[in-house]
Every structure is written in structure tokens, then in C-alpha cells.
Amino acid sequence: MKEKHAYLFFNCDEEKSKESMNIFYNKTVYQDTKKARKALWEKIEEECKAGRVHIADEALDGARTAVLEGNPVDASSSMEFGTILSLDII
């Protein structure tokens, strides 16, 4: 049986410390579906446009691919002031 995952996007500090991740501010859970992954990428784009998250231009395509087609958590390494965590669904 394939493991099921859900993803959470968090705004955070530069070190991505757990203490800086606020579940009351970032409370949307994204399922592992094409529609939900698209919504997650739209959230990241929105945060970038607002200046709260930064992704270098040269890392943008890789981050987009990770969120939409691969492991969204991998996009975290391209983000400054943002991260994605994965939760196992039982």
C-alpha cells in the first residue's frame, strides 16, 4: 500500500525553527492530489509576491516541479522564510 501524505506550508524564520512556525497562521493542510498541490504552489507564489517568502529565480523551476510533481518538501531548501512539512496519513 502506498503511503499517503498531507503537506503544510509555514512562514518561518531564516533558520526554519519549529518555534517560528505558527499553526494558527498557516493552518491549511494540502492533500497529495493534483488540485491540492496546485493550491499549495499558488500559496507559495502569493507569499513570494507579498515579499514574505523568497525563492531565487534560478531555483524557481525546481521548486515548482517539486511541489507539483515530486516531493513538495524538497522545495523547502529553495525557500527563504518558508518551508513545507509532510504528515503521514494513517
Side-chain angles (χ1 to χ4, degrees):
M1 176 185 284
K2 182 181 175 193
E3 290 184 15
K4 294 184 180 182
H5 301 280
Y7 302 100
L8 291 161
F9 167 82
F10 285 101
N11 296 87
C12 58
D13 62 17
E14 201 169 7
E15 290 80 31
K16 300 180 191 297
S17 69
K18 299 278 186 205
E19 297 81 20
S20 69
M21 298 176 200
N22 185 343
I23 194 68
F24 298 107
Y25 182 73
N26 299 115
K27 57 185 174 268
T28 304
V29 177
Y30 300 91
Q31 296 179 22
D32 193 6
T33 65
K34 284 186 178 196
K35 183 177 180 182
R37 284 172 174 253
K38 184 175 184 229
L40 173 57
W41 180 248
E42 289 170 353
K43 172 65 175 173
I44 294 166
E45 285 183 313
E46 175 186 312
E47 292 299 305
C48 287
K49 287 178 185 169
R52 293 184 287 263
V53 172
H54 305 283
I55 300 175
D57 290 340
E58 60 273 8
L60 202 55
D61 286 338
R64 181 185 306 112
T65 300
V67 171
L68 297 177
E69 301 170 16
N71 181 352
V73 174
D74 292 344
S76 296
S77 62
S78 300
M79 284 187 243
E80 187 177 25
F81 304 112
T83 194
I84 300 170
L85 300 180
S86 174
L87 302 171
D88 293 333
I89 297 175
I90 299 172

